[in-house]
Amino acid sequence: MNNPDKPIDPEREKRKIKSVKRMKDIMTHYYIDAKTTDQTGKKVAWITSGGPVEPLIAMDVIPVYPENHGAMIGAAKMGVDLCEKAEEMGYSSDLCSYARADIACATVNGGPIGGLPRPDMLVCCNNICGTVLKWYEVQARYFKVPLFILDTPFNHTEYTKEAYAYVRAQLNEYIAFLETHCRKQFDFDRLAEVGRLSMAGQRLWQQVLDTAVHRPAPMSAFDAFFHLALIVTLRGTRTVVDYYTELLDEMKTRVATGIAVVPGEKYRLLWDNLPVWFRTRWLSDKFAAHAACLVADTYTSSWCGTLKYLDENDFFGSMAEGYSRVYINIGTDQMAGMVMDMVDKYSADGLVIHSNRSCKPYSLGQYDIQRIVQEKRGIPSLVIEADMTDARNFSESQIDTRIDAFMEVLKS
Amino acid sequence: MITVGIDVGSISAKAALINAGELIGSRVMLTGYNARNAGENIFTGLLDDLGIHRDAVDRIVATGYGRNSVAFAHKAVTEITCHAVGAHFQDPAVRCVIDIGGQDSKAIALDSTGRVKDFAMNDKCAAGTGRFLEVMARALEVDLDAFGKMSLKADRPAAISSLCTVFAESEVISLIARGERRANIIAGIHESIGSRVVAMANRVGITEPVMMAGGVANNIGVVKALEKRSGKTILVSAYAQVNGAIGAALIAAG
Ligand code: SF4
C-alpha cells in the first residue's frame, strides 16, 4: 500500500522485483488450500524441507513444511515468543529454533498464519539433520498421527552402493506407507510426471539463481531467500514451473536493461548458511551501503544442487541418490569444494559465513571451509554469529562492527 | 597536518593527537552512559591538555563501538583497522595484534604495510573481555589495577572452567568459600582468559611479533597467561590502551 506521506522513490521502485506480488498470492493460496482440507477432504502431510515430496504430490496429499513456517515466524519477528514458550514447556534453548517454534506453535496455533493445518501424517528425512527425528517424533505423539522416517546416511567421503541400496529399499516402504494411510494405490505414472515437473522446477530455479552471475547482479541472495519458498513447498507442481519461468524472464529483462539490485555494485559476496530471517532487511541495507551485493548463497542453491543425480526416466529410483547427496549431508571437504565452485562461478570477492546457533549440522565445519577457501582462493571471509529465528542470538553492534571491518579489509 | 583519533569503547573513551606523523598526546576517560558526550568530552579534554585550539585540528576519525555517535568526526572506521594501523605505527614489524577491550576481544593479522589480512572476534559472550575481569574483581573485592601484580604471586593457579561469565563468577565465589588463595584465583581467571583468547587468535594465526592493545594490556597477569598459552612473546607498548585512537588519528591524516 502506498503511504501518501512518503513520496515514491522512482529509483527504488525500478529496482523492486515485480514478480514478488504473484509469489505472495501463490503462497497465500497454498496455505488456504492446506488449511481448508475439511472442505476438500484432502490429506495433509508435514514434511522436512529436504524431504521427498514428489510421492505426496502424486498421491494428492498437500505437503506442509514446518521449516517454511519457521522462516515465516522468523520474518514476522515472532520467533522469540514461540521459542520462549517451548523453553517453558521444557525444551532446551540449544534446540534448533525452528523445532522450538514449531513445537510451541502447535499447542497455541500462534505465529503469523495462526498455526499450520493439523497433519494426517508426518514424513521426516534426516538428510538435513538429526534434530528433525526427535522433532517429528514429538509431533507424531502430539497429533497422534503416523510418522514415516527416511534415513539417508551421511556421505563422509563418497557415495556408496550400500547407501544407495539402503535408501532405495526405504523408498518402497515409503510408497507402502502412503498407500496404507491414503487408502489408495500408488500411481507410478503420475509420479513420473511429478518428477519431471520437479526437475523442471529445479532447473528453472538454478537458472534464476544463475542470473546473478551477471555483473551487476539483477537479484541478490536476499531475493533468493524470499523466492525460495516455492521450490521448497510446491516442488513437483506446474505452479512452480510457471512461476519461475516468469521470474526468470523478469531477471533476464533486468540484466538486459542493466537494473542492478544493489545500485553501484562494487563487491560481490557469497553467503553461507540459512538467512537471519528477522534481520534480512537490515543486513541487506547494511551490505548495500557498502556497495556490496550477496550474489549467491549455499542455502537456496540446495534445492537444485542434486539435479545431476536425478534421472527423468527413472525419477523414483534416482530419488535415493538425489535426496542423499544434498549439501548438508556431505563431508566438509565436499562442501568446501562446492563453496569454491560458487566463488568461481559468481566471481565472489568475499565469503560471509553465518554461524547459526540453531543449525549445528550446517555450521559445523565452517571454520575449516573458511580456511580452505582462504588458502585456495585467497579471498577474505567473515563469520557472523546469529540464528535464523531466535533474535536473542543476534547482537547488532557486534555484527555491525564485523561487517564494517570486513568491508574495510575488502576495500583496502 | 594535525589530526585526532577518537576511540569510544564500551568502558572507556580514548583520544590521540598526531601532528606531522608524530604522536603529540593522548587521553583516556570512562565512557559513561552517553557515548555522544564521551566523544566530545575526550576531544575537548585532550585539546585542553595540549593547549591546542579546536580550529587547528584538520581531520578527525572516530572508532570503537561509539564510532557512529561522534557527530563531528569526518569519518568512522572500525577499531580493527585502527588497531592494525596503530600497532604498525608503534612497531612496523608487528604481524599480529591482540586487543582485549571492554566488551569483546579481537585478534588481527596484518601484513608488512599494516594492512589487515584477517581478523577474528570473540562471540557474544563476555568471557575473555575486560568486562569479565571487572566482574571478577568485584567478586574478589580487589582493585582491578592490582589484579596483574597479585596474580604473579600465585603458586597454583585455580582452574576456572566455565565459559559463561556468570557461571565463572559463581565458580570464583565457591573457590573463595573453599579458602583458595586470592592470588591463585586471580591467576586462574587470567589463564581462563588466556586460553579463550589464544584459541580465537589461532584462527587468524599468531605470527610474531605479537603486540597487545587495549586497556587489558596493562594487566601483566593476562599478558603472561597469553604468553604461556601461545608460547609466543607478547609486546606491550606504553600506548596500548590508546593504540586504536592513534590508528584513527593516522588514518585521518590519510
Ligand atoms: S537443525 Fe538445521 S537442518 Fe535441522 S531443522 Fe534446524 S535449521 Fe533445519
Side-chain angles (χ1 to χ4, degrees), chain B residues 4-58:
Chain B
V4 172
I6 298 175
D7 178 356
V8 182
S10 63
I11 296 178
S12 61
K14 286 79 65 177
L17 187 139
I18 297 267
N19 186 6
E22 239 180 277
L23 177 64
I24 307 300
S26 62
R27 188 184 170 96
V28 180
M29 63 173 243
L30 289 177
T31 301
Y33 169 72
N34 189 326
R36 213 171 286 268
N37 289 350
E40 176 64 28
N41 293 344
I42 191 80
F43 180 55
T44 47
L46 176 65
L47 293 182
D48 286 351
D49 287 352
L50 301 173
I52 294 177
H53 194 265
R54 205 180 177 111
D55 296 341
V57 178
D58 296 296

Side-chain angles (χ1 to χ4, degrees), chain A residues 48-49 67 95-99 127-133 135-136 273-274 299 328 356-363 388-389:
Chain A
T48 52
S49 66
E67 289 153 83
L95 180 64
C96 161
S97 53
Y98 276 174
N127 59 354
I128 48 170
C129 67
T131 301
V132 289
L133 291 177
W135 171 6
Y136 276 60
N273 211 306
L274 276 75
Y299 176 63
I328 61 171
N356 184 345
R357 188 86 183 83
S358 270
C359 192
K360 284 83 181 170
Y362 210 146
S363 307
M388 74 266 177
T389 29

Side-chain angles (χ1 to χ4, degrees), chain A residues 367 370 374 381-382 385-386 393-395 397-398 400-402 404-406 408-409 412, chain B residues 65 67-68 76-81 103-104 115-119 121-124 203:
Chain A
Y367 284 113
Q370 180 184 34
Q374 236 152 5
S381 53
L382 167 72
E385 274 131 24
N393 290 318
F394 187 93
S395 158
S397 69
Q398 287 255 353
D400 192 63
T401 299
R402 285 183 201 208
D404 285 347
F406 174 66
E408 284 166 7
V409 172
S412 71
Chain B
Y65 273 92
R67 65 187 178 282
N68 291 319
V77 176
T78 65
E79 54 273 33
I80 288 120
T81 302
Q103 68 174 8
D104 64 17
R115 199 179 144 259
V116 177
K117 282 205 307 195
D118 197 3
F119 68 91
M121 282 166 82
N122 72 311
D123 41 34
K124 290 166 291 285
R203 297 214 297 258

Side-chain angles (χ1 to χ4, degrees), chain A residues 116-130:
Chain A
L116 288 178
R118 212 192 131 78
D120 297 293
M121 65 193 90
L122 303 172
V123 178
C124 170
C125 179
N126 63 356
N127 59 354
I128 48 170
C129 67

